Amino acid sequence: MFTGCMVALITPMDMKGNICKSNLKKLIQYHINNKTKAIVILGTTGESATVNYNEHINTIMWSLDIAQDKIPIIAGTGFNSTSKSIKMISILEKTNIIGCLNVTPYYNRPTQNGLYQHFKAIAESTNIPQILYNVPKRTGCDLLPETIYRLSKIKNIIGIKEATGDLSRVNKIKNLVHENFFLISGDDSTAFEFILLGGHGVISVTANIAAKYMNKFVNYALKNKIKKANNLNQSLMLLHQQLFIESNPIPVKWAAKYIGLINSDFIRLPLTKLTDTNKKLIKKTLNMLQLI
């Protein structure tokens, strides 16, 4: 259930900045049609940092209602407050959520023991499967392999989204954890190598606008069809890179509007809209890949 190409879904908003339920439905149907393995709602790409608590809960509930079990939904429930994560997860306990994605606490800069205690407390508060999420460039703290090993022994901590882009981490973690622990890439540019080293899939930004290609590429990689996987990945490499030419999700949100998946590229401050110079670059790549 936690293998293959999953998408870190953008959160569509109307011109006034309200979350747009009709566009959310359109995005979810796009991923059902293109056989994306699961959708992560309100992770980093979903602008979780700038939605309020009620918007967060409502968007997850709307997504579950729209998906109707046709595609699994993973909820982003990570905060830099342990109690906030526990509170949100408690509301989801009786839903059809298949898992929760919890980012390392940002700004606080906890010690490794603090990280261990944080994730342990969250996991022990629920029966829902928990996925750790390590992205130190954004959070200011790094969940080290030794701490991941300690956490992997907790029954419902079932995997990690590792978004450092450091491929040496794959073997370090893999050699420590049990064989059923999921290793998921959080970096599109290195996902191919990550999977070949033993990873189980990717939670992808690129899949927001190239779901069909990403699903094929990841499936090829998991089946060890290396040449086919590499060819597809190389064709997407420029797009992987350009979608981070400004802070995520600025570029991917604009691209989703450009190809007609959403009606507005509204993004909440402190993020701002994509610059005209970078629009031209991404537009050229989208046209080249025939994603229009």
Side-chain angles (χ1 to χ4, degrees):
M1 191 175 290
F2 299 99
T3 63
C5 183
M6 297 161 272
V7 64
L9 197 72
I10 56 175
T11 299
M13 298 174 187
D14 63 24
M15 294 297 291
K16 294 182 179 179
N18 301 308
I19 296 174
C20 181
K21 191 175 180 180
S22 61
N23 273 192
L24 181 64
K25 183 176 181 179
K26 188 175 180 180
L27 289 173
I28 291 173
Q29 189 59 53
Y30 168 77
H31 288 287
I32 292 170
N33 293 346
N34 285 287
K35 303 186 186 325
T36 301
K37 299 301 181 184
I39 294 174
V40 174
I41 300 294
L42 286 168
T44 305
T45 308
E47 296 177 75
S48 57
T50 54
V51 300
N52 65 41
Y53 187 82
N54 287 335
E55 288 175 325
H56 202 128
I57 291 292
N58 288 340
T59 304
I60 294 169
M61 296 303 187
W62 290 341
S63 300
L64 285 166
D65 184 56
I66 293 164
Q68 291 289 308
D69 294 328
K70 293 177 182 176
I71 189 167
I73 301 294
I74 298 168
T77 53
F79 296 95
N80 62 343
S81 164
T82 309
S83 61
K84 283 185 181 179
S85 289
I86 290 172
K87 180 182 178 183
M88 180 166 287
I89 291 169
S90 71
I91 295 171
L92 303 175
E93 192 70 46
K94 294 183 180 179
T95 69
N96 292 333
I97 288 289
I98 66 159
C100 295
L101 181 71
N102 293 310
V103 71
T104 52
Y106 39 90
Y107 187 75
N108 309 39
R109 301 189 70 185
T111 63
Q112 292 301 304
N113 187 51
L115 290 169
Y116 174 77
Q117 296 296 338
H118 169 77
F119 288 118
K120 179 176 181 287
I122 292 171
E124 290 179 346
S125 75
T126 181
N127 292 315
I128 301 173
Q130 302 293 301
I131 304 169
L132 310 170
Y133 177 16
N134 189 35
V135 56
K137 287 182 181 178
R138 279 188 177 263
T139 62
C141 67
D142 189 1
L143 188 63
L144 297 179
E146 294 75 18
T147 308
I148 296 167
Y149 163 66
R150 291 178 68 198
L151 289 165
S152 72
K153 293 190 282 186
I154 298 171
K155 184 178 179 181
N156 61 330
I157 295 181
I158 54 88
I160 183 166
K161 177 185 176 182
E162 175 62 37
T164 60
D166 179 0
L167 292 169
S168 70
R169 285 286 182 96
V170 185
N171 281 329
K172 287 177 184 177
I173 298 169
K174 192 174 178 64
N175 290 336
L176 290 169
V177 299
H178 57 81
E179 62 180 8
N180 294 321
F181 191 81
F182 292 99
L183 301 179
I184 304 164
S185 171
D187 180 58
D188 283 305
S189 293
T190 58
F192 172 64
E193 293 86 355
F194 188 102
I195 293 169
L196 294 188
L197 288 168
H200 299 95
V202 61
I203 294 176
S204 169
V205 173
T206 303
N208 276 284
I209 56 172
K212 180 179 178 181
Y213 292 120
M214 283 299 299
N215 189 44
K216 279 187 176 182
F217 139 58
V218 173
N219 284 339
Y220 283 144
L222 287 169
K223 292 175 182 177
N224 210 34
K225 295 182 178 180
I226 296 173
K227 185 175 180 180
K228 287 184 176 181
N230 184 55
N231 287 343
L232 260 177
N233 183 52
Q234 287 304 313
S235 71
L236 292 167
M237 187 57 68
L238 186 59
L239 184 60
H240 294 330
Q241 295 166 351
Q242 288 180 345
L243 291 181
F244 288 85
I245 201 166
E246 294 180 33
S247 296
N248 179 44
I250 294 171
V252 70
K253 211 164 193 186
W254 177 84
K257 181 195 174 188
Y258 180 69
I259 67 174
L261 287 174
I262 56 177
N263 297 332
S264 165
D265 62 338
F266 188 97
I267 197 159
R268 290 185 180 178
L269 290 169
L271 298 183
T272 53
K273 289 190 176 185
L274 189 67
T275 62
D276 288 342
T277 299
N278 288 331
K279 284 178 185 177
K280 291 176 183 177
L281 290 174
I282 296 174
K283 187 185 293 187
K284 183 178 180 181
T285 302
L286 293 172
N287 285 317
M288 181 183 67
L289 291 170
Q290 298 183 329
L291 291 172
I292 309 303

